[in-house]
Amino acid sequence: MADTRYGSLSTPNSGQIEMSDIEGRVGQLEADGERKKTGGSNQLIMNENEIEVWTPTIVMERFIRPCFAELFGTMLFVFVGSMSGLATASDQALSVLVAALAHGFAIAMLIAGIGAPSGGHFNPCVTIGVYMGGAMNLIMGCLYIISQLIGAICGSALVLAVLTTEQFDSINGGATLLGEGIATDKAIGCEWILTMILVSTVLQAAVETKSSNLAPLAIGLAVLVDILAGATISGASMNPARSFGPAVVAGIWDDHWVYWVGPPAGAICSGLVYRLLLASPDKRWILKED
């Protein structure tokens, strides 16, 4: 009997893939209702057990729509966060409060409003945490992060477009900067802890409990509290994309590498703690349910 595994299609006589074999297999899948026609040109992709039909609609739903949601949401988040710096640039305490409220409410609104296609990450560290939590694959994770970085640059470019040069310079283009006199190791530690708070909230409120309507609010409050706690130390970025976009547009790279060390480290730690201890038995790496 012919072996029908991918890469091993053969006939008893020739040992080569015959078009009739493929046509017969497709016909069988059609008869069993396992192959759906979605219109337009399509391509058959074969794996061990099935032939999957890829159409423009499938590509749109699986890749374009969620990646655009991440790009668009991150763009708006960076725009709102950067613009909030104009409100009280001369008063540090009030500036921190305004920034915390703007970022916290913005992320909650964006997750609830346009996060459905992608899950509303808008942050590479959230994507890292969700990947480690087992809720997405590596390829989509990489596509999300690329989309977020592009969106952050677009958001910062919008800030530059709507402000005067003097206004843009007064807020350093929306860049996240270390507090005065703060050493980089202290800033990395601060970003690490703040990001653990944020990503742990995401994992528990949105990954562990997928149906929770309070997830956007919980995540927004985590961002708000983190900024209140750490803005004067590290800038409370918790989000490499949020720091990257303004750095590119404004050309301010002072200690920028801190935001690519501390936040991802915090996200990885949160993912490990979740999969080892905090996840439900079916999602844990150890002592799982039988």
Side-chain angles (χ1 to χ4, degrees):
M1 182 176 180
D3 184 357
T4 57
R5 292 176 298 176
Y6 176 66
S8 304
L9 287 175
S10 61
T11 64
N13 297 325
S14 65
Q16 298 177 348
I17 299 175
E18 297 289 339
M19 181 58 70
S20 60
D21 296 329
I22 298 177
E23 291 175 348
R25 191 167 171 222
V26 171
Q28 181 181 356
L29 290 176
E30 288 178 329
D32 293 339
E34 296 181 35
R35 181 175 183 260
K36 297 180 180 179
K37 292 185 177 180
T38 55
S41 59
N42 54 48
Q43 175 184 359
L44 295 180
I45 298 177
M46 301 175 62
N47 56 33
E48 282 191 26
N49 301 312
E50 63 181 3
I51 296 179
E52 184 177 6
V53 178
W54 280 49
T55 67
T57 300
I58 290 177
V59 173
M60 176 70 177
E61 292 300 314
R62 290 189 182 180
F63 300 103
I64 298 175
R65 186 168 173 252
C67 287
F68 180 76
E70 287 298 309
L71 186 156
F72 188 57
T74 308
M75 179 186 74
L76 297 179
F77 179 65
V78 170
F79 177 80
V80 171
S82 299
M83 292 291 289
S84 69
L86 278 175
T88 53
S90 60
D91 188 320
Q92 185 181 60
L94 194 54
S95 293
V96 171
L97 178 60
V98 170
L101 291 171
H103 285 83
F105 283 123
I107 199 67
M109 175 196 69
L110 291 169
I111 292 171
I114 62 175
S118 66
H121 296 189
F122 313 135
N123 181 343
C125 290
V126 170
T127 299
I128 292 171
V130 172
Y131 166 71
M132 293 199 63
M136 74 183 310
N137 63 57
L138 181 60
I139 292 176
M140 286 306 300
C142 292
L143 292 175
Y144 271 32
I145 291 174
I146 293 170
S147 301
Q148 291 155 3
L149 294 177
I150 296 172
I153 295 173
C154 293
S156 191
L158 289 178
V159 174
L160 178 62
V162 302
L163 297 182
T164 65
T165 301
E166 182 179 352
Q167 289 173 323
F168 188 77
D169 291 342
S170 72
I171 60 171
N172 295 309
T176 48
L177 301 171
L178 273 57
E180 186 176 353
I182 301 299
T184 54
D185 60 332
K186 304 293 186 183
I188 289 172
C190 183
E191 288 291 322
W192 187 322
I193 296 169
L194 297 179
T195 308
M196 284 189 68
I197 295 171
L198 172 60
V199 174
S200 294
T201 302
V202 171
L203 291 173
Q204 291 296 327
V207 174
E208 185 72 13
T209 311
K210 292 183 181 294
S211 61
S212 175
N213 293 324
L214 293 177
L217 177 61
I219 296 166
L221 288 175
V223 171
L224 189 155
V225 168
D226 277 354
I227 294 176
L228 289 176
T232 59
I233 305 300
S234 64
S237 172
M238 304 162 283
N239 185 338
R242 170 66 182 86
S243 300
F244 180 73
V248 170
V249 175
I252 299 176
W253 297 94
D254 298 352
D255 301 311
H256 179 74
W257 63 274
V258 166
Y259 304 111
W260 288 95
V261 176
I268 292 170
C269 284
S270 293
L272 290 174
V273 169
Y274 174 74
R275 293 303 290 271
L276 293 173
L277 298 170
L278 297 180
S280 55
D282 60 309
K283 298 175 183 175
R284 280 201 305 264
W285 284 340
I286 60 174
L287 301 177
K288 303 174 68 172
E289 285 185 335
D290 295 332

